[in-house]
Amino acid sequence: MSSVIAQTRFSVLDRSRIREGHANAEALRDTVRLAREVEGLGYHRFWVSEHHGVPGVAGSAPTVLAAAVAGATRTIRVGTGGVMLPNHRPLVVAEQFGVLESLFPGRIDMGLGRSVGFTEGVRRALGRDKEDAEDFAGQLGELLGWFTGTSPTGVHARPAEGLTVPPFVLAMGEGAAIAARAGLPMVIGDLRNREKMLRGIDHYRARFRPSAWAEEPYVVISGTIAVAATPWEARRLLVPEAWSMAYSRTHGTFPPLAPAERVEALTMTAKERGFYETGLAGHIAGTEEQVAHELETVLKETGAQEVLVTTSTYDRTALVDSYRRLAGIFAGRS
């Protein structure tokens, strides 16, 4: 096994993707079940995401789901990838993570993003607009202040104050600069746009200011990784998500995941086909040998300390097998 792979942590972000013909509740139970599976395989963290009003995603309340995941596991770190801070009051976010850390001490991560609702209707329902994301740095500072007890309000966040919950910034656009100024670990994607990712990492490292939360830059790269017995089977894992993305780009709504065989039988418009083929390209996918080679390349390029795998697909058995094969790579069993 490559020494650079052996020195890297591997973690999982599951978006609780809904599958055609399956209920929302099943997607959430699938997430909890997957967390138990990957804990047994030696992954470092398991994170859940925040989406609102999306037909294809059941994960709308990440701290609630994180509590279920932490309660069902024993050793793996559990967190969010991420809580979208502009959607919430920082005090409430601090209280939620304070409760999680109190219940599951030493296992909770606080991944934070700056996105607001996916559509105008969702933003209206949340009482937010696009401009709310512009004050992410201020919201982040306020949130961290609740843990350190430095809020100018004189109010104390219970039980968060005095607890240490590691914060991570999801770096989209300005996120790298904000993470650097705040001295926080950064999560950056995606693997399909290496040049943009490398620019963000360079920007982050060059401007990083040590803080009480992190003395040195810490880079987590995120993206889809699919491992299977053959390149064809690995590519097939990508098909359901690629079609959901293509459909969302052409119809304005993000649908549940369809089985690969149904997608492959579709008659697509030229525009749909273009987005679909783009959605299949650029990921790390293939056999163990192919994926190990590609991982070694990207880890040497980025110098990342951790990889956050974000793979979604319809076939849950194939998904677990992919994570098992990937674990074989980083644990030196393949």
Side-chain angles (χ1 to χ4, degrees), residues 189-199 282:
D190 67 31
L191 295 170
R192 291 179 297 174
N193 193 338
R194 301 286 173 86
E195 288 187 14
K196 183 179 179 182
M197 187 172 69
L198 289 169
R199 285 197 304 272

Side-chain angles (χ1 to χ4, degrees), residues 52-190:
H52 299 284
V54 181
V57 182
S60 56
T63 53
V64 177
L65 185 53
V69 168
T73 54
R74 294 188 306 109
T75 57
I76 196 168
R77 296 195 65 85
V78 177
T80 56
V83 165
M84 296 302 143
L85 201 47
N87 292 339
H88 311 280
R89 293 302 309 163
L91 170 61
V92 175
V93 175
E95 290 171 337
Q96 290 172 345
F97 279 98
V99 169
L100 283 169
E101 176 63 22
S102 298
L103 292 172
F104 308 101
R107 290 181 57 205
I108 301 301
D109 299 321
M110 187 167 57
L112 305 162
R114 65 191 294 270
S115 298
V116 287
F118 183 60
T119 65
E120 186 179 343
V122 169
R123 290 192 291 272
R124 214 166 35 240
L126 290 169
R128 298 291 186 267
D129 55 42
K130 289 183 177 180
E131 285 66 43
D132 285 300
E134 294 176 5
D135 189 34
F136 178 66
Q139 296 157 357
L140 181 62
E142 181 183 342
L143 171 62
L144 298 180
W146 290 116
F147 286 92
T148 56
T150 54
S151 170
T153 64
V155 175
H156 297 274
R158 312 288 187 201
E161 188 173 311
L163 297 179
T164 300
V165 183
F168 294 74
V169 172
L170 275 61
M172 310 285 189
E174 293 299 309
I178 292 169
R181 286 196 300 271
L184 299 181
M186 176 184 72
V187 182
I188 189 166
D190 67 31

